[in-house]
């Protein structure tokens, strides 16, 4: 009971911190209402980072990343990809909904582009914007690069790497960092190799960092496969990359 109460206190403390430092932002895709969040430094002229959350929508990992990025001098905006009323309940529903956007990549890119516009409205310098994404959002970060959205760089954190084989490999001007768990069974070897070929064919500025002894959601403290050492390294690599391309 003591451990449970302690954990509850930590969670409540995190939620209180999020409530104080992140502001809700309502925007739309046609008739679909979207509800994102932005850091409290919105309105200043600063480099910006768009955060694409994992397959269940905006979660604590994404919120915490936003707050940490604010401390580093970035305006961070958390994108709502699914829209109000569409958050999935359970992993099966989340997988089904995420796969819908992976197949309809044009819609995924559109929702990312709409969030980027909100980030700019929040004060982000238009030529100093990057995208980071977790899991499903990591796939979205790669889609931002594939779609040549107006960002300097993207970071895919334990993201899905696959792309429909019928889609051509096009030029990629966006700098790319992929943070890949070594033992992620959701990424097949052929997906990895196809991504490398895609980036080489596109003459992209890219790098992949593979983290030992890690499985899929290794950066999420609330996940059973969280690896604290590797998660810290991955975050430091993210900050180094963002500093290089945005400051």
């Amino acid at each position: 009971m003591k451990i449970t109460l302690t954990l509850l206190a930590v969670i409540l403390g995190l939620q209180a911190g999020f409530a104080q430092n992140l502001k809700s932002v309502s925007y739309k895709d046609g008739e679909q209402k979207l509800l994102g969040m932005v850091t409290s430094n919105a309105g200043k002229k600063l480099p910006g980072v768009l955060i694409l959350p994992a397959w269940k929508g905006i979660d604590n990992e994404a919120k915490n990343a936003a707050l940490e990025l604010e401390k580093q001098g970035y305006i961070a905006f958390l994108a709502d990809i699914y829209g109000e009323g569409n958050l999935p309940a359970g992993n099966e529903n989340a997988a089904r909904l995420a796969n819908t956007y992976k197949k309809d990549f044009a819609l995924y890119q559109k929702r990312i582009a709409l969030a980027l516009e909100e980030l700019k409205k929040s004060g982000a310098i238009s030529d100093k914007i990057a995208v980071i994404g977790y899991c499903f959002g990591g796939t979205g970060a790669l889609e931002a690069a594939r779609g040549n959205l107006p960002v300097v760089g993207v970071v895919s954190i334990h993201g899905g790497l696959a792309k429909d084989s019928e889609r051509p490999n096009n030029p990629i001007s966006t700098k790319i960092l992929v943070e890949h768990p070594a033992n992620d069974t959701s990424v097949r070897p052929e997906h990895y190799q196809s991504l490398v070929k895609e980036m080489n064919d596109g003459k992209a500025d890219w790098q992949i960092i593979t983290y030992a002894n890690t499985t899929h959601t290794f950066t999420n403290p609330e996940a059973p496969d969280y690896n604290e050492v590797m998660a810290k390294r991955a975050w430091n690599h993210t900050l180094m990359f963002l500093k290089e391309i945005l400051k």
Side-chain angles (χ1 to χ4, degrees), residues 132-161:
I132 72 171
Y134 296 90
C135 186
F136 167 59
T139 303
L142 293 175
E143 286 299 339
R146 289 169 178 146
N148 282 314
L149 299 186
V151 298
V152 183
V154 302
V155 184
S156 175
I157 305 167
H158 54 79
L161 308 183

Side-chain angles (χ1 to χ4, degrees), residues 10-168:
V10 171
I11 292 173
L12 290 174
L14 285 172
Q15 291 175 339
F18 295 149
Q20 291 173 3
N21 293 286
L22 295 173
K23 303 174 184 177
S24 295
V25 178
S26 179
Y27 59 114
K28 284 189 173 184
D29 180 4
E31 295 300 314
Q32 176 61 62
K33 182 179 178 181
L34 304 167
L35 192 61
M37 303 185 83
V38 70
T39 45
S40 62
N41 56 355
K44 299 180 180 180
K45 283 295 180 183
L46 295 168
V49 180
L50 179 67
I51 301 174
L52 303 178
W55 64 355
K56 290 185 179 178
I58 295 173
D59 57 13
N60 286 339
E61 182 174 26
K63 292 176 182 177
N64 188 61
L67 296 178
E68 290 300 316
L69 289 170
E70 181 179 13
K71 294 176 184 177
Q72 299 295 324
Y74 303 105
I75 298 172
F77 188 92
L78 294 116
D80 178 9
I81 299 300
Y82 298 145
E84 187 178 55
N86 297 320
L87 287 180
N91 290 345
E92 185 176 341
N93 289 332
R96 186 182 304 112
L97 191 55
N99 283 332
T100 298
Y101 284 84
K102 289 177 182 179
K103 291 178 181 178
D104 190 355
F105 62 89
L107 176 58
Y108 199 1
Q109 291 175 357
K110 181 184 179 185
R111 291 282 168 90
I112 296 169
L114 289 170
L116 285 170
E117 287 302 313
E118 294 302 318
L119 176 56
K120 292 177 186 177
K121 290 177 185 177
S122 299
I125 301 168
S126 61
D127 61 351
K128 291 189 176 183
I129 292 177
V131 175
I132 72 171
Y134 296 90
C135 186
F136 167 59
T139 303
L142 293 175
E143 286 299 339
R146 289 169 178 146
N148 282 314
L149 299 186
V151 298
V152 183
V154 302
V155 184
S156 175
I157 305 167
H158 54 79
L161 308 183
K163 183 187 75 169
D164 191 321
S165 60
E166 294 185 2
R167 293 173 64 185

